Amino acid sequence: MNNINNIRMFVRVFELENMSAAARDLRVSAAVASSRIGELEKHLGVRLFTRTTRSIQPTEQGRIFYDKAVAILDAVEEAEAAVHEITRKPRGSLFVAAPLGVGRRLIAPHIAAFQADYPDIHVRLRLSDRKIDLTAEGLNLAFVLGNPPDSGHRIRVIAECPRVMCAAPEYLAKRGMPHSGFDLINEQHECLLLRFPGSTEFRWMLQTSDGPQSFSVSGAVSCDDGDVLTQWALDGRGIVNKPVFDVAAHLASGRLVPVCHATPPLHAQLAVLYQHKRNQDPKARLFIDFMVDRIKTTLRNSQLEL
C-alpha cells in the first residue's frame, strides 16, 4: 500500500499546488508528504514537480502522470468498495461538505444515528457557506442549496426548499413593513447579505406579477456565515432571505416576521453532489440514502411549524 499512499499524496499536491496543504488534507506532516513524493519520483525515475521556495509546479511528466494516477486511485477505491459491499460491512472515511444551515440543522443531528448503524464508517463533516470544489477539496460528496456548480459530478435532487424574507418586529416598528421587493429598493431597507468570493446572494430573485425578477438589494453589513445573518435579523438589524427550515422556529415564535408577501423569493433546490464513478462507493450511497430520508422528514416538519 506504500505506493498507493505515495500516489494519493501526489494527486493531492497536484490538485492543491501546495505540499503543506496536501499534508494537512491527508493528516500527515509536511516532512512525510515530501518523503512520499520523493519516494514516488525515485520509483518512477522522473521529477514530478518543480519546487521553489514559494511554489510547487508539476513538470510535464507530472501532468502526464496525474490522469493515470487518478485512474489508479479510482480503481483501488472501486475494488475496496466491491469487497466491502460483498461483506456487507462498508468501512472507511467519508468526506462530506454542506452549507452551514443545511449542515447544522439537516445533517449534523443525524450523524450519531448513522454511525450507530454503520460504526466502521467515519464521517468528516465540513461546513461552509462558500462554494466548494469536490475534486480540489478531496470530498466524497457535498450537499448544495441553490444552483449546483457546473461540473461532471452526479447530482441527486432532494427537495425544493421554500425561502422567506423576514425581519424582527423591532426592525419593522422602526422602518415599516415592506410589501414587495420594490419597497426594499425604494425605501432603502437594510438587507442582510451573504457575501463571499463568487457569491450571487446579494441579488435576490423574487417572484413578481411579471415573473421572476432579480433585485439588487443592499445593506450596511454582510457576512459569509448564514447563521450570523439570522442572528443579526433577530437583533433587529435588517431583513434576511433564508430557507424556511433555517428560520422556522423563529417564525413560529414570532421573533421573526415574514415580509414582502407580494414578491416572495424563489424556492431553492437542495441537492447532493457526488463523484461520477462506474460503481458508486457503497458507504457514500448508504450515507446519501440515510440522510435524504431524514432530511425530507425534517423539511416536512419545518413547514408544519409555520
Side-chain angles (χ1 to χ4, degrees), residues 226-266:
D227 278 2
V228 170
L229 301 183
T230 300
Q231 187 57 55
W232 283 344
L234 290 167
D235 293 340
R237 300 195 61 181
I239 297 169
V240 72
N241 181 353
K242 302 285 288 185
V244 170
F245 72 81
D246 223 357
V247 291
H250 303 310
L251 293 168
S253 70
R255 294 187 67 196
L256 291 177
V257 178
V259 302
C260 299
H261 296 282
T263 57
L266 301 186

Side-chain angles (χ1 to χ4, degrees), residues 85 88 94 114 141 156 274 279-291:
E85 185 154 33
R88 302 286 183 183
L94 268 180
F114 177 80
L141 56 101
R156 177 172 172 181
Y274 55 96
N279 299 310
Q280 187 186 353
D281 187 341
K283 62 180 181 290
R285 184 173 65 249
L286 284 170
F287 186 83
I288 292 172
D289 289 344
F290 186 96
M291 287 298 166

Side-chain angles (χ1 to χ4, degrees), residues 84-85 87-92 118-121 281-283 286:
H84 293 162
E85 185 154 33
T87 62
R88 302 286 183 183
K89 291 184 178 180
R91 59 176 59 87
Y118 305 102
D120 293 326
I121 299 178
D281 187 341
K283 62 180 181 290
L286 284 170

Side-chain angles (χ1 to χ4, degrees), residues 65 75 77 101 153 179 252 262 299:
F65 185 64
E77 187 174 318
H153 302 307
H179 298 287
L299 290 176

Side-chain angles (χ1 to χ4, degrees), residues 199-233:
S199 170
T200 59
E201 293 276 342
F202 56 90
R203 298 189 66 88
W204 289 356
M205 288 296 298
L206 309 180
Q207 184 65 51
T208 73
S209 57
D210 295 323
Q213 184 172 330
S214 174
F215 287 79
S216 184
V217 296
S218 61
V221 293
S222 62
C223 186
D224 63 355
D225 184 327
D227 278 2
V228 170
L229 301 183
T230 300
Q231 187 57 55
W232 283 344

Side-chain angles (χ1 to χ4, degrees), residues 3-36:
N3 273 341
I4 293 299
N5 288 333
N6 294 347
I7 292 172
R8 186 173 287 113
M9 180 58 67
F10 162 77
V11 168
R12 295 309 288 144
V13 173
F14 185 99
E15 292 171 345
L16 297 176
E17 298 181 351
N18 186 290
M19 187 80 71
S20 297
R24 286 193 299 272
D25 188 68
L26 294 178
R27 296 187 172 185
V28 299
S29 68
V32 169
S34 179
S35 175
R36 288 182 180 176

